[in-house]
């Protein structure tokens, strides 16, 4: 049966298989940490090289890093507002860089060549744990931002502009992390699966446009994640009149 | 059950949430601090220093430009006043010389008139004196003639 053979093909892609690390009582997805350490290490090396010798007339890597910094600042400033964007810029920037590096690293590096006893290496953002961790951090951040900036007046936001909004605003606190995590997880996993299936079925040429589409999606997802995180923080610190 | 198996069988699966989640969260928080001290702060310092430098320079240039414009206007008014002052002085001198010329002319005229009058008076007095003398001589002569005529007779 075709359906069954398709399933076995998927099984060959090892969907949902993990490399388990057992530390005491807790179990970890080892492949997620391995790829994230490699990618973040590369990112940190790249940044250290770029900021090693900072000059007033930027050259080479410093130029690129300054462009990146400016891009993140603009993102944070437009979403959070002039007053507090400085406090949140490192967090927004880290989210953007982490998601971007994870997505692109997952798509660009041929991880499949490295054989693991179980599971396979891939984008860390294709694991639900990573995206939920990021989304929960965003939730904690906007609560903290709202409370630290406005104190208890933060909760005025829930009845703004009318108290009818209260249930919806409470519901939003749950849907925000849910949508953030599942959007990122779904997009990256879907991209990996599509590329994986296409490579499995037609190993030549055909997967290449899909791979480019995947790179595009990956960059867009990083931007969307960072922009939404900044928007939620901005919403929490915004003053209502 | 088929779908569940597809998503990862009994162990693991796509939605297998475990300690990876909190550890990843801690890792991201740590990364935030590392990137802040390694990337955002130093690059921000350099960029903002440069932005401040540029904006300071622009402000300074603007100040200098306005100063130049002010000085230019100042100079223009000074030039204007100098020009009117010069005009005033020239016309004053012209008036003065005109006045002096007229005075001198009048004086010369008066003097000439006076000497002319004096000369006329002198001429008149001399004329009358000469006439007197002439009439006296004529009298003498006539008397002489008369005497001679009388004596010859």
């Amino acid at each position: 049966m075709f359906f069954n053979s398709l399933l076995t093909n998927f099984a060959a892609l090892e969907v949902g298989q993990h490399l388990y690390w057992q530390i005491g009582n807790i179990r970890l997805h080892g492949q997620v940490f391995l790829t994230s350490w490699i990618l973040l290490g590369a990112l940190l090396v790249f940044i250290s090289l770029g900021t090693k010798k900072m000059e007033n007339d930027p050259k080479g890597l410093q130029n690129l890093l300054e462009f990146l910094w400016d891009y993140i600042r603009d993102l944070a400033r437009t979403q959070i507002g002039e007053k507090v964007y400085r406090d949140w810029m490192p967090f927004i920037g880290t989210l953007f860089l982490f998601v971007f590096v994870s997505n692109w690293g997952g798509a660009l590096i041929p991880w499949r060549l490295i054989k693991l006893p179980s599971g396979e290496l891939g984008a860390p953002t294709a694991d639900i744990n990573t995206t939920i961790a990021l989304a929960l951090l965003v939730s904690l951040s906007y609560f903290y931002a709202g409370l630290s900036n406005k104190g208890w007046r933060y909760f005025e936001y829930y009845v703004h502009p009318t108290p009818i909004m209260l249930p919806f605003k409470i519901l939003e606190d749950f849907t925000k992390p849910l949508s953030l995590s599942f959007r990122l997880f779904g997009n990256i996993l879907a991209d990996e699966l599509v590329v994986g299936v296409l490579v499995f079925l037609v190993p030549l040429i055909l997967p290449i446009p899909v791979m480019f589409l995947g790179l595009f999606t990956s960059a867009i997802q990083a931007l969307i994640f960072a922009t939404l995180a900044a928007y939620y923080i901005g919403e929490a610190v915004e003053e209502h009149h | 059950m088929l779908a569940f198996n597809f998503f990862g069988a009994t162990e693991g699966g796509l939605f297998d949430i475990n300690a990876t989640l909190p550890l990843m969260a801690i890792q991201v928080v740590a990364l935030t601090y590392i990137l802040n001290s390694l990337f955002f702060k130093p690059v921000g310092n350099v960029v903002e220093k440069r932005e401040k430098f540029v904006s300071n320079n622009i402000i300074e240039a603007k100040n200098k430009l306005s100063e130049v414009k002010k000085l230019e206007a100042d100079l223009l008014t000074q030039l204007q006043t100098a020009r009117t002052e010069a005009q005033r002085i020239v016309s004053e001198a012209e008036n003065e010389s005109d006045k002096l010329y007229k005075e001198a002319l009048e004086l010369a005229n008066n003097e000439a008139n006076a000497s002319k009058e004096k000369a006329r008076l002198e001429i008149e007095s001399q004329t009358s004196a000469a006439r007197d003398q002439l009439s006296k001589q004529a009298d003498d002569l006539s008397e002489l003639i008369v005497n001679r005529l009388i004596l010859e007779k």
Side-chain angles (χ1 to χ4, degrees), chain A residues 156-167 169:
Chain A
E156 279 174 10
Y157 157 78
Y158 286 86
V159 291
H160 183 87
T162 72
I164 301 166
M165 295 302 287
L166 183 67
K169 296 269 173 116

Side-chain angles (χ1 to χ4, degrees), chain A residues 172-211:
Chain A
E172 260 191 351
D173 281 335
F174 294 97
T175 57
K176 276 172 183 173
L178 202 68
S179 63
L180 267 184
S181 55
F182 273 79
R183 181 186 306 111
L184 183 58
F185 167 67
N187 271 288
I188 303 310
L189 183 76
D191 173 45
E192 280 195 354
L193 283 183
V194 168
V195 172
V197 169
L198 275 178
V199 168
F200 187 80
L201 295 176
V202 194
L204 289 172
I205 303 168
L206 196 65
I208 291 173
V210 183
M211 282 173 178

Side-chain angles (χ1 to χ4, degrees), chain B residues 123-135:
Chain B
I123 290 167
E124 244 168 45
S125 71
Q126 277 180 9
T127 315
S128 69
R131 198 174 283 140
D132 283 353
Q133 207 179 347
L134 207 63
S135 68

Side-chain angles (χ1 to χ4, degrees), chain A:
Chain A
M1 239 173 98
F2 178 69
F3 191 61
N4 266 341
S5 71
L6 199 66
L7 273 187
T8 32
N9 285 350
F10 270 125
L13 289 169
E14 302 190 11
V15 173
Q17 300 288 305
H18 303 290
L19 172 71
Y20 281 101
W21 286 352
Q22 182 95 32
I23 302 166
N25 267 337
I26 59 173
R27 286 161 77 79
L28 302 173
H29 292 169
Q31 85 277 12
V32 177
F33 284 106
L34 281 178
T35 38
S36 73
W37 289 340
I38 294 168
L39 292 172
L40 294 183
L43 174 71
L44 289 179
V45 166
F46 177 75
I47 280 172
S48 316
L49 285 178
T51 54
K52 202 168 57 185
K53 229 180 89 194
M54 299 281 272
E55 287 168 57
N56 214 14
D57 295 331
K59 278 192 208 83
L61 270 187
Q62 194 196 338
N63 240 330
L64 190 64
L65 288 182
E66 281 189 12
F67 168 76
L68 198 61
W69 187 89
D70 212 42
Y71 184 76
I72 292 166
R73 179 180 65 170
D74 281 353
L75 197 155
R77 190 154 59 180
T78 44
Q79 299 300 332
I80 301 179
E82 197 66 52
K83 228 173 85 190
V84 287
Y85 82 93
R86 271 161 202 285
D87 301 343
W88 293 101
M89 201 186 130
F91 180 61
I92 301 299
T94 305
L95 285 179
F96 177 75
L97 287 177
F98 180 80
V99 175
F100 184 77
V101 165
S102 296
N103 292 352
W104 270 44
L108 282 178
I109 301 171
W111 299 106
R112 234 167 277 266
L113 298 181
I114 305 165
K115 291 272 176 252
L116 293 182
S118 164
E120 58 186 16
L121 296 175
T125 38
D127 190 283
I128 190 79
N129 290 285
T130 312
T131 59
I132 290 181
L134 292 173
L136 287 181
L137 282 179
V138 171
S139 288
L140 287 178
S141 304
Y142 77 71
F143 270 112
Y144 175 76
L147 288 173
S148 68
N149 270 281
K150 302 200 289 191
W152 295 111
R153 283 197 306 107
Y154 166 64
F155 293 104
E156 279 174 10
Y157 157 78
Y158 286 86
V159 291
H160 183 87
T162 72
I164 301 166
M165 295 302 287
L166 183 67
F168 301 105
K169 296 269 173 116
I170 291 173
L171 197 63
E172 260 191 351
D173 281 335
F174 294 97
T175 57
K176 276 172 183 173
L178 202 68
S179 63
L180 267 184
S181 55
F182 273 79
R183 181 186 306 111
L184 183 58
F185 167 67
N187 271 288
I188 303 310
L189 183 76
D191 173 45
E192 280 195 354
L193 283 183
V194 168
V195 172
V197 169
L198 275 178
V199 168
F200 187 80
L201 295 176
V202 194
L204 289 172
I205 303 168
L206 196 65
I208 291 173
V210 183
M211 282 173 178
F212 273 107
L213 188 71
L215 285 183
F216 180 68
T217 318
S218 299
I220 291 289
Q221 286 308 317
L223 180 63
I224 287 175
F225 199 96
T227 308
L228 279 177
Y231 173 74
Y232 294 154
I233 292 170
E235 202 177 38
V237 299
E238 188 190 9
E239 288 289 345
H240 303 291
H241 297 292

Side-chain angles (χ1 to χ4, degrees), chain B residues 11-48:
Chain B
E11 191 183 51
L14 280 179
F15 299 99
D16 177 33
I17 294 166
N18 58 14
T20 312
L21 196 161
L23 276 180
M24 190 51 90
I26 292 167
Q27 184 172 305
V28 172
V29 170
L31 183 71
T32 304
Y33 282 101
I34 294 170
L35 281 183
N36 188 33
S37 61
L38 218 64
F39 175 48
F40 292 104
K41 263 191 194 151
V43 174
N45 282 343
V46 170
V47 172
E48 276 169 356

